[in-house]
Amino acid sequence: MASAAGKAAKRLIVRFDKKMVLDPALAAHPPLYESARPWWIKYSWLFAGASLFSSFTMAEASWTQWKRAADPNDPEDAKTGEEWLPQPTWMRLGLGGFQLCAGLGLTALIIALQSRVVRRVRVIPPGVAPTLGNGAEKRLLLQSALDYSRASIIPFSAARLYPGRDDTELVINADGFRGNLWLGTKNAVVDGQAGKAPGEVRGALMAEWGIKKGDTVQIPQNPSAKTKLAKSAV
């Protein structure tokens, strides 16, 4: 198995210019796959903001409003003359810290999920746009839902395509990426053609990888463990 450093070395991050162009030569090669961002991604930053706001609000409430009834038999409580007293510092700090960590963790998860959703795939033939990676080989350009002005380029041979749970999705396992990448086939555009059914989109993409209907492919259950494989007929 290739090391993490070896995998990362195969991935090239490129940035678009002000006109959102990587190389003029790519104009003659439309993306193999394009899809709009799923609805939940369109509102993901709102979800992330709500997560942060709610976690900070709950942490602040835990610190300032979490109280206990004063014990009239406790001399220390009696000295304060208050009916309600704050909970011990360690309890308020612990609960507030947990709420903050939960909010930050959920926000990080929302952002990470965006990077796993692919919105554009472009196959670059050998000899085309030689400045993008190794021009002598076939390359794959990937843009996730989180990529606005940049894209990732890897050798085509470093990416493996697998069927998803049904006709509406596909999975790419590629060197240089953590975990699998998800492609939705509903309302997707293939080779510049819109209006195709999910099954047609799925078939066109799998054909690019040389996978035919009826072929048996191995789907990794855990990308980091080659021994855990399950066979599934396409």
Side-chain angles (χ1 to χ4, degrees):
M1 180 182 296
S3 65
K7 287 186 176 183
K10 292 184 178 181
R11 181 183 177 186
L12 175 66
I13 304 296
V14 293
R15 296 190 177 276
F16 293 88
D17 61 19
K18 293 182 179 179
K19 296 182 179 180
M20 295 303 291
V21 175
L22 281 175
D23 192 304
L26 295 180
H29 300 273
L32 171 65
Y33 165 90
E34 282 188 287
S35 179
R37 294 179 177 87
W39 69 268
W40 63 269
I41 285 184
K42 295 178 181 178
Y43 300 100
S44 59
W45 294 110
L46 179 62
F47 295 152
S51 173
L52 288 176
F53 176 78
S54 59
S55 63
F56 276 96
T57 300
M58 289 188 295
E60 191 273 339
S62 297
W63 180 256
T64 61
Q65 303 300 323
W66 191 19
K67 298 182 179 181
R68 61 179 177 82
D71 185 355
N73 298 319
D74 188 329
E76 294 297 327
D77 287 2
K79 287 180 182 179
T80 64
E82 299 289 341
E83 184 178 355
W84 295 92
L85 297 174
Q87 290 283 7
T89 300
W90 68 269
M91 292 180 65
R92 291 180 290 139
L93 189 62
L95 179 59
F98 170 77
Q99 291 165 331
L100 284 176
C101 290
L104 291 172
L106 180 58
T107 301
L109 177 62
I110 292 172
I111 296 174
L113 286 175
Q114 293 185 64
S115 66
R116 299 291 180 87
V117 177
V118 177
R119 67 184 183 91
R120 183 174 291 116
V121 176
R122 189 189 294 271
V123 177
I124 307 176
V128 175
T131 59
L132 302 177
N134 184 355
E137 65 180 355
K138 187 177 181 180
R139 289 143 291 158
L140 195 67
L141 184 148
L142 298 169
Q143 276 186 282
S144 73
L146 196 59
D147 293 330
Y148 291 90
S149 60
R150 69 175 192 172
S152 298
I153 295 179
I154 58 174
F156 188 85
S157 59
R160 296 155 294 279
L161 186 73
Y162 302 102
R165 293 167 294 184
D166 52 38
D167 283 352
T168 63
E169 63 179 39
L170 288 163
V171 174
I172 289 181
N173 179 262
D175 294 350
F177 291 84
R178 290 185 177 181
N180 293 325
L181 306 176
W182 181 86
L183 291 80
T185 58
K186 285 185 177 180
N187 302 317
V189 178
V190 178
D191 285 329
Q193 299 180 10
K196 290 183 175 291
E200 294 178 301
V201 175
R202 187 172 183 260
L205 288 170
M206 299 195 79
E208 184 68 33
W209 266 263
I211 304 173
K212 300 177 182 178
K213 188 173 182 179
D215 287 351
T216 298
V217 296
Q218 291 183 316
I219 307 172
Q221 300 300 307
N222 182 348
S224 63
K226 283 190 174 181
T227 57
K228 296 182 180 180
L229 298 176
K231 290 187 177 181
S232 174
V234 179

